[in-house]
Amino acid sequence: MQYNHKEIEPKWQQYWKDNNVYKCDINKDKPKYYVLDMFPYPSGAGLHVGHPLGYIASDIYSRYKRLKGFNVLHPMGYDAYGLPAEQYAIQTGQHPEITTRQNIDRYRSQLDKIGFSYDWSRQIRTCDPEYYKWTQWAFIKMFNSYYDTAADKAMPVADLIARFEKEGSKGLKAACTKELDFTAGEWNEMDEKQKSDVLMNYRLAYLGNTMVNWCPKLGTVLANDEVSEGVSLRGGYPVEQKLMYQWCLRVSAYAQRLLDGLNGIDWTESLKETQRNWIGRSEGAEMHFKIDGKDIDLEIFTTRADTVFGVTFMVLAPESKYVDMITTEEQRKAVDDYLASIKHKTERERMIDKKVSGVFTGAYAINPLSKKKIPVWVSDYVLAGYGTGAIMAVPAHDSRDYAFARHFDLPVIPLIEGADVSEESFEAKEGIIINSEGEELNLNGMQVKDAIAATKKFIEEKGIGKVKVNYRLRDAIFSRQRYWGEPFPVYYKEGIPYMLDVEKLPLELPEVDKYLPTESGEPPLGRAKNWCTPEGWEFEKCTMPGFAGSSAYYLRYMDPRNNDALVSREANGYWRDVDLYIGGTEHATGHLIYSRFWNKFLYDLGEVCTDEPFRKLINQGMIQGRSNFVYRIKDTNTFVSYGLKKQYDVTPIHVDVNIVSNDVLDTERFKAWRPEFNDAEFILEDGKYVCGYAVEKMSKSMFNVVNPDDIVENYGADTLRLYEMFLGPIEQSKPWDTNGIDGVSRFIKKLWNLFYRDGKLIVTDSEPTKEALKSIHKLIKKVTYDIENFSYNTSISAFMICVNELTAMKCTSRAVLENLTVLIAPFAPHVAEELWHALGHDKTVCDAVWPECNEEYIKEDNVTYAVSFNGKARFNMTVSAGTDVKEVENLAISSENSAKWLEGKNIVKVIVVPGKIVNIVIK
RNA sequence: GCUCGAAUGGUGGAAUGGUAGACACGAAGGACUUAAAAUCCUUUGGCUAUUGCAGCUGUGCGGGUUCGAGUCCCGCUUCGAGCACCA
C-alpha cells in the first residue's frame, strides 16, 4: 500500500465520528484537562490557512494529554453574533441567522477536513436561545448586584436596600457612579422612580448617562476597545463622543482584582503588561483647592503631590460641572464662546489638533500649602473622564502644563534643584526639592520620592485631601443600537427598568421587516411587532454587544445542554477552569478583560469555583500573506522578470500566489488567469519568469490567500498540520509560504516507508537493535519535553532525524515502530491511526499510552569532549562514558594534540564541564 | 513620550553560559531515466586556501562580567506590539 492521504484521511475521520472517539464526559477516575480555542466568528470569507494555526496547536496538546491519561475537554463553537452578518442583512434583506448558519456550515466542513479532536456534541452558538438565555441570566444577576468595596466582592442589591431602609447611605462602602449622601428617612420617603435612580448608582449592570463612542455610520455605540484612534475598528468609520443613556457594566469595580489576578496566571508577560496598561492604575492624591471668595472646593487628582508649591494655575475640563459654578460675569461670554468652539469638534479632531487653547474663568483658587492665589482656566487638554476632570497645573514639571503656561504667559516655578525650565519642562521624578516651603510644611532638600510621601501624609492629616488610587479602566458600555445581538431581558414600566423573571428566559430575538433603525431613529428592534410584555410594557430596544456572548462560553462548554443552570455544580466542580487557552492577542483588552470580569462576578456569586478562568494562555502569532508581483512594462502587455526589471519602467501588479511556485510564475496559467493577460508576453531570465514578493496582510485583494482546503487536497491534512507547526514558534507572527511544505510531505512518506515496502507491511517482531532503541528513546524524551513547552517546530525536526536514522539502520522492529506511531499521533493523527491499525490494533490510537523514555537506552557509550585552550576549541577527544573527571583532565593535557598548545606555557587551571568541554587555561 | 518584546546564512528557523547555524526550504553539482517527474548522494555563513591537512572571521552596534557570551549586565540603533494631552 502506498501512502495516499486522499484515501486514509476521510476514512479515519468517518471512523472517529462513527465511534464518538472524541466525546468526553465527566470521569472522576482520571485527572481533567481543559484545552480551549478562542471560538471563531464565522465570516463569509471562510477559513484561510492562518486561522487553523492555533487550533492545530491546541489539538496537538489535547491529543498528547489524552495519551498521557488525562480526561480532556476540547470543545468548539461559534461566536455567531456580529456586525458583518447584520451589514449584509441590511444590504440584501437576508436574515442574519441564515447567513450565519451558512458560514458556520462552511467553517465546519473546513475544520472537519483538518482532523481535529473536538467533542462536537458540546458545540455552542452564541445566537442560540438556549445559549443566550444564560447571557441574559448573567445580566439580570449583575443588575441585582452591587460591589461592596469593604468585602471586596459583589453582593445582592437586596442587601443594599435593607441597609438604606435602616441607616441610609451612611458608612456605605460600595463602587458607585457618584457618592450619594442620604438618611434612612430620606430613602423611605423616595418614590419608586427616585429609588430606582439611586440604586442605578450602585448596580453592576446599570443605566447611566455616559459619554459614549458614537459611530454615526454604523448607527451604534462602541466600547473603548472597539475604537482605535478615533475610528471604529470594524469598518474604520469616524467615531464621535456623545452623551447617551445606556446600559453599562461596572467593570471598574473589579479593576484592582483584575490587576491582582494577573500575578497568579501563566500568561505571557507582554499580554499581562497590555492588560495592566489598559487597567492603568495610578496611585496619587485627591486634593481640595478652595475657590477665593466662594464656598466651593475644587477637587483635583495628582500623582505628584510633591509639586504643590509649583502650582501656578488650575485647569478644568470643558465638561466639568465646576466651569459653570465659578465663572465670573466678566468672563462668562469668553468661556461660553470657548465651550461652543470645542463642542462641535469630535474627539478625533481634538486629538489631532494639538494647538494650545483655553480660557480664563475669572475665578481664583487658593493653594492650600503656599496660600497663594492662582487663576483657574478651562482647556480641552484636561479630560473630563479621568480623575476629577480638574488639575493643578505645575508647568515646570509637566510638558502640557508647560506649553499652556508659555502660551498664556503664566508663571513657571522650578521645584527641583538644577532643573533648567527655560526651554522645556523637567519631568524626571528625581532630584532635590527647592522652592517648597510653606507655613506648615517644608519640602526643601528632600528627594522627590520622600517629598511625595511627606505631602500625602500632610494633606491627609490636615484634611486637605486624601490618598487615592485611580484607574484608567472604564465601565463597559453594554447597549448596541443593533438587531443581531442578544435582547436585553428588560422592560420599562413608567420609565423605570425592570428585569424579566428568570423563569421567562430566554427572551427571544423577534423578527423585523428591515434591519435598519426606524424612521424615528430607534434601534431596529423598534420595528418588531408586539415587542412588549403581555401587560404591554415595552422591552428594551437595544441589544447586547459582541463580547456579551463570548464572556462565559468556556463555562457553558462544561455543561452545554443544561437547561437549569449555566453550568451545574458537578460539571463546574470537575472541569473547574481552562487549563490551556489559545488565541490571538487582538482580544487582550476586550474579550480577555470582560471574560475575567464576568468570571470574577460569577465567582462572587458562588456560581463558579475559580476566580480566574484561564490558567495558561498562549497567543498564536498572525499568519501574514506572502504576495507575489509581476512587472508590466508601462503602456505594454509585456512582463519582465524580477531580476531584469530595473532596465525598464515597470508597474508592479499583484499576481495570484496559487499560480506561482517558488517565486516562478506559471506563464500559461497567468495568461488564463484574467482576460486582459491572454496575450501577455514575457521577458524571461534563465528561461523562467521570476516574481517579486512582499509580506502583507492575507487578503483577497492581494491575491495571497491560501485556502487550507487546497493544501489538504494536494498534500493532506497531516502534512498541513505538520507544516503549520514546522513554520516556527507558535507565538511568532510569520508569513505563509507554501514553498517549504515539500519537506514535511517527504517526511510523512519516509515515515510510511518504514512500515511499507513495495506496498507490503514489513514490520517484524524482531528484537530492536541497541541503536534503534537509542534513537526512539531520544525521540520520546525530546518530543515529550517539546510538547510540554509548546515547541512543536523543534519536535518535528526531532521526528525527521529519528525517521532518517531508523531508515538508515533498516529498523523493522514492531516495538520501535509502535512507539513512533503513538508519538506522531498528536501531530499527524490520520497517518498514525492508519499505521496503528496496520500494526494489528483494533482500537483507536487515541486509546494508546504515551511511551516513557528509558534513560538506560540513551546513555552514551562514549563521550566526546571539545578540548579548548583559553576558550578556543582546538580538538575533540572521545573517552568512555563514566570516566572520572580527573582522568578526563589528565587525558586532555597528555593528548598529542595538546602538545603544541602547551609548549612553553604554564597551565593556570583546567575546567571540565561533564560531557561537554575541557578548557585548559594557559599563560 | 511611557511600557513590553525582538534582531542569528539566500529563506523559515535551532542552540539548560560550553564546538553557533540543528531541522527544513532554496540553490549548485552528481546518480538513475530516451526525457521529465519522483527518488537518492554530495556541497552550501563569509573570506583565504582547496595540487595541502587547514586557517581566519562571524549571532544589529559599543562596552563589561567570565577560562568561555547568540545567551548575563550597562549604554545605543533599528523593527514590532501595547498605552497615550491619563495629570
Side-chain angles (χ1 to χ4, degrees):
Chain A
M1 198 176 154
Q2 292 296 310
Y3 174 66
N4 180 357
H5 67 267
K6 287 187 187 172
E7 196 178 308
I8 66 172
E9 289 180 356
K11 178 171 87 181
W12 295 114
Q13 282 165 13
Q14 192 61 42
Y15 172 89
W16 295 331
K17 196 174 163 193
D18 292 345
N19 293 281
N20 287 323
V21 167
Y22 303 120
K23 192 160 178 353
C24 79
D25 287 303
I26 291 175
N27 177 352
K28 299 222 163 112
D29 298 334
K30 282 183 173 183
K32 71 98 187 185
Y33 202 89
Y34 186 176
V35 181
L36 182 65
D37 291 301
M38 288 187 187
F39 63 169
Y41 171 77
S43 80
L47 292 170
H48 68 60
V49 101
H51 294 118
L53 186 81
Y55 306 156
I56 294 170
S58 66
D59 196 61
I60 289 171
Y61 205 74
S62 304
R63 288 173 179 274
Y64 164 74
K65 276 287 175 183
R66 213 171 266 140
L67 293 169
K68 279 287 231 181
F70 287 83
N71 187 24
V72 176
L73 174 58
H74 188 41
M76 186 42 111
Y78 303 95
D79 187 13
Y81 279 130
L83 282 179
E86 180 158 352
Q87 291 295 67
Y88 188 74
I90 290 169
Q91 286 158 22
T92 62
Q94 168 140 218
H95 197 293
E97 162 105 52
I98 295 170
T99 320
T100 304
R101 198 180 309 128
Q102 285 167 351
N103 292 346
I104 286 176
D105 289 346
R106 168 101 190 273
Y107 266 57
R108 177 65 189 274
S109 80
Q110 286 188 294
L111 290 171
D112 280 347
K113 285 182 189 159
I114 305 174
F116 291 121
S117 61
Y118 295 123
D119 176 359
W120 283 108
S121 74
R122 291 175 183 263
Q123 170 183 305
I124 54 169
R125 306 189 315 166
T126 54
C127 65
D128 284 337
E130 61 179 45
Y131 177 84
Y132 67 65
K133 171 179 177 177
W134 298 103
T135 311
Q136 294 173 334
W137 167 85
F139 178 80
I140 294 173
K141 290 282 183 188
M142 287 181 197
F143 180 82
N144 288 325
S145 302
Y146 78 102
Y147 198 85
D148 183 330
T149 50
D152 215 9
K153 63 183 285 201
M155 303 288 259
V157 165
D159 292 5
L160 194 62
I161 295 171
R163 184 193 177 104
F164 288 161
E165 283 168 357
K166 273 202 350 230
E167 48 200 308
S169 68
K170 199 170 151 244
L172 177 68
K173 286 199 189 289
C176 57
T177 311
K178 59 173 189 272
E179 300 281 349
L180 298 178
D181 195 12
F182 55 87
T183 63
E186 284 168 328
W187 168 263
N188 292 323
E189 291 292 299
M190 289 181 197
D191 64 22
E192 181 91 6
K193 170 75 178 144
Q194 286 168 321
K195 282 182 178 170
S196 163
D197 288 347
V198 168
L199 292 174
M200 275 301 174
N201 193 47
Y202 300 99
R203 296 183 190 277
L204 287 180
Y206 64 96
L207 267 173
N209 257 324
T210 46
M211 254 330 161
V212 299
N213 304 302
W214 172 256
C215 181
K217 194 86 188 182
L218 291 172
T220 186
V221 304
L222 297 168
N224 283 344
D225 68 284
E226 293 168 319
V227 182
S228 182
E229 305 200 345
V231 296
S232 67
L233 224 53
R234 267 195 202 279
Y237 304 115
V239 171
E240 51 192 57
Q241 298 298 298
K242 194 172 163 184
L243 197 66
M244 283 180 81
Y245 200 50
Q246 301 279 312
W247 283 105
C248 303
L249 302 185
R250 207 176 295 283
V251 180
S252 61
Y254 282 83
Q256 189 59 47
R257 276 171 67 190
L258 288 170
L259 197 59
D260 293 341
L262 291 172
N263 297 330
I265 51 182
D266 186 5
W267 294 14
T268 59
E269 209 37 55
S270 76
L271 185 59
K272 287 186 186 181
E273 200 57 35
T274 302
Q275 290 215 339
R276 287 191 191 111
N277 277 341
W278 188 258
I279 295 166
R281 180 191 155 102
S282 73
E283 230 169 277
E286 225 166 58
M287 290 176 68
H288 307 289
F289 282 61
K290 280 219 168 352
I291 297 294
D292 191 30
K294 287 195 182 175
D295 190 21
I296 297 172
D297 265 350
L298 206 53
E299 212 173 44
I300 59 97
F301 175 76
T302 180
T303 55
R304 291 294 301 274
D306 60 307
T307 59
V308 184
F309 287 98
V311 178
T312 53
F313 58 100
M314 303 193 69
V315 189
L316 303 177
E319 296 85 356
S320 170
K321 61 177 184 195
Y322 292 120
V323 175
D324 191 51
M325 290 158 68
I326 66 169
T327 301
T328 59
E329 283 317 308
E330 304 84 71
Q331 288 298 103
R332 177 74 59 185
K333 189 174 173 337
V335 169
D336 286 349
D337 287 351
Y338 180 68
L339 295 186
S341 78
I342 52 168
K343 191 142 203 178
H344 71 263
K345 275 203 254 177
T346 63
E347 179 91 336
R348 186 173 172 75
E349 283 168 335
R350 269 212 222 173
M351 264 162 58
I352 291 166
D353 185 14
K354 297 240 155 122
K355 262 196 300 212
V356 176
S357 72
V359 64
F360 178 43
T361 60
Y364 289 86
I366 310 287
N367 186 321
L369 266 60
S370 70
K371 310 290 187 200
K372 281 186 191 150
K373 250 172 82 171
I374 48 174
V376 182
W377 288 64
V378 178
S379 173
D380 65 356
Y381 84 85
V382 174
L383 302 176
Y386 185 77
T388 59
I391 62 155
M392 59 178 215
V394 187
H397 303 287
D398 182 285
S399 62
R400 295 151 304 173
D401 296 346
Y402 187 86
F404 195 82
R406 282 280 179 256
H407 189 263
F408 290 105
D409 207 19
L410 295 158
V412 178
I413 308 174
L415 298 167
I416 292 171
E417 206 171 78
D420 175 15
V421 294
S422 58
E423 292 297 325
E424 57 181 4
S425 61
F426 180 84
E427 304 203 21
K429 291 183 184 175
E430 56 193 37
I432 294 166
I433 303 280
I434 53 168
N435 294 337
S436 299
E437 187 174 358
E439 288 166 26
E440 297 163 289
L441 181 69
N442 182 3
L443 302 174
N444 285 351
M446 285 188 193
Q447 282 291 330
V448 169
K449 214 174 72 194
D450 304 328
I452 294 178
T455 316
K456 278 183 181 171
K457 187 160 168 268
F458 179 78
I459 58 170
E460 286 228 311
E461 282 170 7
K462 294 284 168 183
I464 303 167
K466 61 182 182 202
V467 173
K468 172 105 200 259
V469 176
N470 241 314
Y471 299 93
R472 208 189 64 92
L473 183 72
R474 309 291 171 79
D475 288 347
I477 293 156
F478 205 60
S479 296
R480 294 293 181 275
Q481 291 67 23
R482 283 276 162 174
Y483 173 73
W484 191 229
E486 298 87 349
F488 281 87
V490 174
Y491 62 92
Y492 293 90
K493 198 156 80 181
E494 284 149 10
I496 304 171
Y498 292 91
M499 292 295 124
L500 212 58
D501 275 353
V502 170
E503 290 74 41
K504 292 191 180 141
L505 297 180
L507 175 62
E508 293 202 29
L509 188 64
E511 295 297 320
V512 292
D513 56 348
K514 273 192 220 154
Y515 305 98
L516 283 168
T518 64
E519 281 66 30
S520 58
E522 281 191 326
L525 287 189
R527 296 174 181 275
K529 290 200 180 69
N530 302 322
W531 187 233
C532 54
T533 64
E535 299 81 26
W537 306 117
E538 282 199 347
F539 285 129
E540 167 69 54
K541 294 191 183 72
C542 286
T543 55
M544 297 187 193
F547 66 82
S550 58
S551 288
Y553 76 110
Y554 55 90
L555 292 169
R556 190 62 179 163
Y557 280 135
M558 297 175 184
D559 197 7
R561 306 289 166 252
N562 190 335
N563 204 30
D564 302 318
L566 167 66
V567 52
S568 70
R569 289 292 149 94
E570 192 204 1
N572 183 247
Y574 180 74
W575 297 111
R576 302 187 70 83
D577 53 2
V578 176
D579 293 280
L580 174 66
Y581 196 22
I582 297 189
T585 359
E586 65 272 20
H587 299 107
T589 54
H591 162 63
L592 287 174
I593 292 266
Y594 299 126
S595 258
R596 292 181 58 222
F597 155 75
W598 206 283
N599 190 83
K600 281 176 190 297
F601 168 70
L602 294 176
Y603 175 73
D604 286 354
L605 262 53
E607 295 287 341
V608 301
C609 60
T610 58
D611 188 34
E612 283 290 338
F614 313 119
R615 194 183 292 263
K616 181 177 177 64
L617 185 138
I618 290 182
N619 290 119
Q620 92 273 24
M622 284 254 292
I623 296 284
Q624 296 138 309
R626 188 180 187 279
S627 314
N628 278 115
F629 296 92
V630 292
Y631 301 93
R632 177 159 63 187
I633 301 173
K634 282 228 168 86
D635 305 320
T636 69
N637 211 9
T638 303
F639 296 82
V640 59
S641 185
Y642 179 76
L644 305 171
K645 74 182 168 76
K646 278 197 184 126
Q647 302 162 28
Y648 304 88
D649 186 11
V650 295
T651 324
I653 298 170
H654 274 99
V655 61
D656 188 347
V657 292
N658 294 299
I659 59 172
V660 176
S661 168
N662 284 334
D663 290 337
V664 175
L665 182 71
D666 183 332
T667 51
E668 287 312 308
R669 286 178 70 191
F670 178 71
K671 285 188 192 177
W673 183 40
R674 311 187 117 199
E676 66 260 41
F677 300 142
N678 285 168
D679 55 349
E681 292 183 32
F682 304 94
I683 300 175
L684 308 176
E685 52 183 316
D686 302 329
K688 292 182 289 196
Y689 188 97
V690 180
C691 299
Y693 74 90
V695 174
E696 297 171 303
K697 194 174 180 293
M698 199 174 270
S699 96
K700 273 186 184 165
S701 62
M702 315 276 196
F703 301 107
N704 60 8
V705 175
V706 183
N707 189 314
D709 301 10
D710 295 340
I711 305 281
V712 170
E713 173 69 17
N714 294 333
Y715 295 93
D718 288 332
T719 302
L720 172 72
R721 292 169 61 109
L722 281 168
Y723 186 54
E724 293 229 3
M725 293 301 105
F726 188 65
L727 271 176
I730 327 165
E731 306 205 59
Q732 205 162 298
S733 287
K734 55 230 152 191
W736 177 269
D737 184 353
T738 309
N739 286 337
I741 202 167
D742 290 333
V744 287
S745 179
R746 273 178 210 133
F747 158 72
I748 291 192
K749 283 180 198 150
K750 285 181 193 167
L751 170 74
W752 182 269
N753 290 336
L754 276 174
F755 293 73
Y756 288 96
R757 183 157 322 129
D758 301 324
K760 287 205 191 80
L761 193 70
I762 52 167
V763 179
T764 63
D765 288 319
S766 61
E767 273 296 301
T769 62
K770 226 176 148 188
E771 296 77 52
L773 282 171
K774 185 172 169 182
S775 182
I776 194 75
H777 279 265
K778 262 162 64 185
L779 183 68
I780 294 169
K781 188 175 180 179
K782 174 79 175 147
V783 170
T784 308
Y785 179 83
D786 280 349
I787 294 183
E788 297 279 6
N789 291 287
F790 304 96
S791 177
Y792 297 134
N793 56 333
T794 53
S795 62
I796 292 168
S797 295
F799 274 113
M800 290 174 173
I801 294 167
C802 180
V803 166
N804 280 341
E805 282 174 2
L806 294 179
T807 305
M809 59 181 85
K810 297 194 166 56
C811 173
T812 56
S813 164
R814 173 182 302 275
V816 171
L817 295 179
E818 225 170 56
N819 278 341
L820 185 60
T821 308
V822 177
L823 292 175
I824 199 73
F827 298 88
H830 309 86
V831 73
E833 192 76 89
E834 175 70 30
L835 294 174
W836 185 250
H837 286 261
L839 289 170
H841 295 277
D842 297 334
K843 284 196 175 161
T844 163
V845 69
C846 302
D847 292 335
V849 176
W850 190 258
E852 291 283 329
C853 168
N854 186 338
E855 296 280 343
E856 277 302 306
Y857 296 129
I858 62 174
K859 249 187 11 206
E860 298 286 337
D861 296 335
N862 295 314
V863 183
T864 302
Y865 285 85
V867 182
S868 63
F869 298 89
N870 288 349
K872 290 270 181 188
R874 301 299 172 176
F875 65 93
N876 290 336
M877 179 181 78
T878 304
V879 301
S880 54
T883 308
D884 183 70
V885 171
K886 197 70 201 166
E887 180 61 21
V888 170
E889 198 175 293
N890 289 335
L891 285 169
I893 295 167
S894 60
S895 159
E896 264 178 54
N897 290 309
S898 293
K900 63 173 175 175
W901 298 103
L902 294 175
E903 217 174 69
K905 303 271 170 58
N906 292 324
I907 297 175
V908 178
K909 63 175 160 177
V910 181
I911 298 147
V912 180
V913 178
K916 281 177 180 166
I917 203 158
V918 183
N919 188 31
I920 301 167
V921 185
I922 52 177
K923 205 159 81 180

